[in-house]
């Protein structure tokens, strides 16, 4: 190999297979899709407008994707919205986890799981 020859990096592993089209799965990480992020950011926007939440973080890990919600930037997250595809056939891929680690809601439908964060005050009769 000389100094003028181009460096060729194979895109498909030599063991066979096709290249994956999704950039998140190509890296081997789980991510939220556009529809899921739209639902999450819809609730996040309402909570920011009411002054309850101020910051968020998105983590894409090998086994799960996490959307963390913060009251202040320097604190630990108030809530974590997690997507774990391995649990999709069992309890559901989506869950909302409180700061203490308690799972508030888990299910197959993200909209239903997010309702736990959007509950308003109810009038209780004595």
């Amino acid at each position: 190999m000389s100094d003028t020859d181009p460096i060729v990096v194979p895109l498909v592993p030599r063991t066979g297979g096709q290249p994956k089209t999704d950039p998140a799965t190509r890296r081997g990480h789980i991510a939220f899709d556009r529809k899921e992020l739209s639902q999450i950011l819809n609730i996040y926007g309402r909570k920011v407008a009411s002054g309850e939440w101020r910051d968020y973080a998105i983590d894409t890990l090998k086994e799960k994707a996490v959307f963390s919600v913060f009251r202040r930037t320097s604190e630990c997250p108030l809530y974590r919205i997690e997507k774990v595809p391995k649990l999709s056939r069992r309890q559901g891929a989506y869950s909302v986890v409180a700061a203490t680690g308690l799972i508030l809601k888990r299910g197959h439908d993200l909209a239903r799981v997010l309702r736990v964060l959007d509950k308003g005050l109810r009038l209780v009769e004595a």
Side-chain angles (χ1 to χ4, degrees), residues 1-70:
M1 183 173 200
S2 70
D3 292 312
T4 59
D5 290 339
I7 298 173
V8 178
V9 179
L11 297 177
V12 180
R14 292 196 183 266
T15 58
Q18 296 296 322
K20 297 177 182 174
T21 56
D22 185 23
T25 56
R26 190 175 349 157
R27 291 187 315 254
H29 294 260
I30 306 299
F32 292 105
D33 64 13
R34 183 182 296 260
K35 182 181 174 189
E36 294 164 343
L37 273 177
S38 176
Q39 292 175 348
I40 294 170
L41 290 173
N42 187 14
I43 289 180
Y44 176 78
R46 278 186 263 141
K47 294 291 189 173
V48 168
S50 68
E52 294 180 46
W53 297 349
R54 288 191 181 213
D55 200 8
Y56 72 90
I58 299 175
D59 298 315
T60 57
L61 306 171
K62 287 192 176 210
E63 296 181 5
K64 63 183 174 181
V66 182
F67 186 96
S68 303
V69 176
F70 299 88

Side-chain angles (χ1 to χ4, degrees), residues 51-110:
E52 294 180 46
W53 297 349
R54 288 191 181 213
D55 200 8
Y56 72 90
I58 299 175
D59 298 315
T60 57
L61 306 171
K62 287 192 176 210
E63 296 181 5
K64 63 183 174 181
V66 182
F67 186 96
S68 303
V69 176
F70 299 88
R71 181 171 290 150
R72 290 184 193 86
T73 306
S74 61
E75 292 182 350
C76 64
L78 288 175
Y79 299 105
R80 292 188 328 258
I81 302 163
E82 297 183 353
K83 174 184 177 182
V84 185
K86 281 187 178 179
L87 298 176
S88 63
R89 292 186 183 241
R90 295 181 184 171
Q91 300 119 344
Y94 305 105
S95 61
V96 174
V97 182
T100 59
L102 177 70
I103 298 174
L104 300 176
K105 182 85 172 169
R106 176 177 278 159
H108 299 281
D109 183 29
L110 181 61

